[in-house]
Amino acid sequence: ESMNLLNNDSYANAASNAINGYLTEKQFNVKALEGSTQINDVVTLQNEIAGQEEDLSYIASLSFGADVYIKFSVDIRHSQILANLSAYESTSGRMLGTQTSTVNDNGTRKEELIASAMHKALPGLLRKVQAYWDADSQFGTPYKLILYFNGDFSNLDVAHSRVSTLLKQQFVKIQTNAMTDKTSEYTIYVNSQDCGDSYEVYNALRAALGSSFEVKKRSLVQRLLIVELY
């Protein structure tokens, strides 16, 4: 028999607080989605890229400029508390690692048991995340780029190919995440000394593409750029 404990707000808060507290203690900059204003901002951004991504956790992490976001669940199975943690890279949605842990239900308050299970799982998860960071650090800071091809292009395949070539010339590394006839989604890696924020990355993007396309920004939010090409 299994029961998801996060259907209870008190248990969900205990899990979230345990994760946030542990990461803060380890001197990570922790950002949580709180308050109606932040939620509305995230929903607005979600609508902006409708058809691209429906995961609010993913969208929130981009809007906050986070490098990584963590999802969690807690279940009780046969008198044990089971914690499941998964970490994802914000700019690409790539899974960086998962970790599970169990603690015995010894009659202690469920909130304390949940916190204990989270604290037990987090060190292993962070080691997996750090391994990805160590491997990717040579490429610079990642940003998510969504391009809309809204112009009257005679050959969209040629336009996509031209964009890819120009991006590779401008940035340290690019990774194609998804592509349709009218859209492209990339993770682009930039030298933080050259581009310190999304607006500077946008200026670099205009410099790269401006000779071949008319470039218009639709939205610039932390690690996310949404741009139209004509």
Side-chain angles (χ1 to χ4, degrees):
E1 184 179 355
S2 173
M3 179 177 65
N4 189 330
L5 297 183
L6 296 187
N7 292 326
N8 182 303
D9 287 343
S10 176
Y11 298 158
N13 287 336
S16 178
N17 290 339
I19 294 170
N20 294 345
Y22 183 92
L23 295 176
T24 299
E25 183 178 313
K26 297 297 181 182
Q27 313 213 337
F28 289 95
N29 184 9
V30 180
K31 300 181 180 181
L33 184 60
E34 297 174 349
S36 59
T37 300
Q38 284 188 339
I39 293 172
N40 288 338
D41 289 345
V42 171
V43 171
T44 298
L45 183 59
Q46 182 187 36
N47 292 334
E48 181 75 8
I49 59 175
Q52 295 283 332
E53 182 57 53
E54 298 180 354
D55 186 344
L56 273 179
S57 301
Y58 182 33
I59 302 301
S61 68
L62 286 169
S63 69
F64 291 160
D67 294 304
V68 172
Y69 66 98
I70 294 175
K71 290 185 172 183
F72 60 88
S73 65
V74 184
D75 298 291
I76 183 168
R77 296 179 181 175
H78 308 298
S79 299
Q80 285 189 318
I81 304 294
L82 173 65
N84 296 283
L85 295 172
S86 299
Y88 301 83
E89 181 182 54
S90 295
T91 50
S92 67
R94 175 181 60 165
M95 179 181 285
L96 304 180
T98 63
Q99 192 73 31
T100 62
S101 71
T102 58
V103 296
N104 292 326
D105 186 354
N106 57 11
T108 304
R109 291 176 64 246
K110 288 291 192 295
E111 288 86 351
E112 295 178 21
L113 293 170
I114 290 169
S116 178
M118 291 295 170
H119 288 164
K120 188 176 178 182
L122 280 162
L125 183 71
L126 292 181
R127 284 193 294 271
K128 295 173 182 177
V129 171
Q130 188 66 53
Y132 275 98
W133 276 348
D134 290 344
D136 283 353
S137 61
Q138 61 181 309
F139 301 122
T141 304
Y143 287 78
K144 182 184 180 75
L145 171 64
I146 297 175
L147 295 176
Y148 286 91
F149 291 77
N150 289 339
D152 185 16
F153 298 102
S154 58
N155 190 322
L156 281 168
D157 286 338
V158 171
H160 279 290
S161 179
R162 181 62 177 160
V163 165
S164 179
T165 297
L166 293 172
L167 290 178
K168 288 176 181 177
Q169 293 173 355
Q170 181 70 28
F171 298 106
V172 178
K173 177 186 176 183
I174 71 165
Q175 174 183 307
T176 304
N177 298 325
M179 187 175 292
T180 68
D181 284 346
K182 288 286 191 175
T183 64
S184 291
E185 178 191 314
Y186 299 94
T187 299
I188 56 176
Y189 294 82
V190 307
N191 187 326
S192 58
Q193 294 180 339
D194 297 332
C195 300
D197 58 29
S198 60
Y199 190 77
E200 291 182 348
V201 175
Y202 173 67
N203 285 337
L205 184 68
R206 290 180 62 198
L209 303 182
S211 61
S212 301
F213 302 91
E214 181 182 356
V215 182
K216 291 186 177 181
K217 66 176 179 293
R218 182 184 290 190
S219 179
L220 305 179
V221 184
Q222 297 290 339
R223 294 290 187 83
L224 171 65
L225 298 88
I226 305 174
V227 174
E228 298 177 355
L229 299 181
Y230 294 87

